[in-house]
């Protein structure tokens, strides 16, 4: 039984997270809405930008491309993705996304189940941030929406 009431979260209520490249906006998280099985958000990736390689030791990741053209590397194999395509990324599969189009890419993501602690949810395998930008945002699952 949940102790939280249903809540609509607007994208404007979220904070940018650029730690891994792109702009990750977690909308439906344990912090924001009391989610207990995973979290969902939107990745905004500008032309030429990318989300750096990482993997999830506890969660599957589901992605759905809304706008734009992406390339995704899955354990060193590259695939193209376009609007109206979805992808399941299994546990422990290294992955990165690149916007190869000329418009902002918008990709919905959902991860579940949750890691035992938020800091265990992502394992980065490459550095994507520029020097001096370490404070560019908390991990997406720790982002709280305004109440």
């Amino acid at each position: 039984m949940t102790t939280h009431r249903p809540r609509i979260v607007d994208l404007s209520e979220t904070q940018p997270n650029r730690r891994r490249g792109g702009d990750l906006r977690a909308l439906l998280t344990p912090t924001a809405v009391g989610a207990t099985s995973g979290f969902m958000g939107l990745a905004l990736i500008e032309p030429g930008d990318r989300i750096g390689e990482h993997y999830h030791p506890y969660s599957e990741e589901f992605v759905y491309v809304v706008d734009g053209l992406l390339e995704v590397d899955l354990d060193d194999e590259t695939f193209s993705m376009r609007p109206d395509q979805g992808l399941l990324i299994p546990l422990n599969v290294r992955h990165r996304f690149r916007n190869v189009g000329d418009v902002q890419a918008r990709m919905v993501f959902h991860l579940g189940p949750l890691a035992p602690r938020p800091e265990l949810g992502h394992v980065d395998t490459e550095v994507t941030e520029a020097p001096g930008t370490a404070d560019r945002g908390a991990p997406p699952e720790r982002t709280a929406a305004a109440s």
Side-chain angles (χ1 to χ4, degrees), residues 99-112:
N99 182 341
V100 295
D102 56 4
V103 300
Q104 181 187 69
R106 297 169 69 89
M107 179 182 73
V108 174
F109 62 87
H110 175 272
L111 283 89

Side-chain angles (χ1 to χ4, degrees), residues 20-73:
R20 291 180 179 86
D23 178 356
L24 303 177
R25 302 289 185 108
L27 280 94
L28 307 177
T29 68
T31 304
V33 298
T36 60
S37 64
F39 67 97
M40 190 277 296
L42 181 68
L44 307 168
I45 311 165
E46 296 301 327
D49 199 2
R50 68 184 179 138
I51 297 172
E53 186 182 84
H54 62 283
Y55 66 92
H56 309 284
Y58 295 95
S59 307
E60 295 177 319
E61 183 169 5
F62 302 83
V63 299
Y64 178 80
V65 178
V66 178
D67 289 313
L69 300 174
L70 295 170
E71 283 184 348
V72 57
D73 297 328

Side-chain angles (χ1 to χ4, degrees), residues 61-128:
E61 183 169 5
F62 302 83
V63 299
Y64 178 80
V65 178
V66 178
D67 289 313
L69 300 174
L70 295 170
E71 283 184 348
V72 57
D73 297 328
L74 302 171
D75 281 344
D76 300 320
E77 188 172 355
T78 301
F79 299 90
S80 296
M81 293 190 73
R82 59 177 166 69
D84 297 331
Q85 290 185 324
L87 169 67
L88 167 65
I89 303 170
L91 291 160
N92 294 311
V93 171
R94 290 178 293 109
H95 53 284
R96 77 168 62 85
F97 293 92
R98 285 181 302 281
N99 182 341
V100 295
D102 56 4
V103 300
Q104 181 187 69
R106 297 169 69 89
M107 179 182 73
V108 174
F109 62 87
H110 175 272
L111 283 89
L114 293 169
R117 295 190 320 269
E119 64 273 14
L120 300 176
H122 291 79
V123 177
D124 293 313
T125 54
E126 69 182 355
V127 176
T128 57

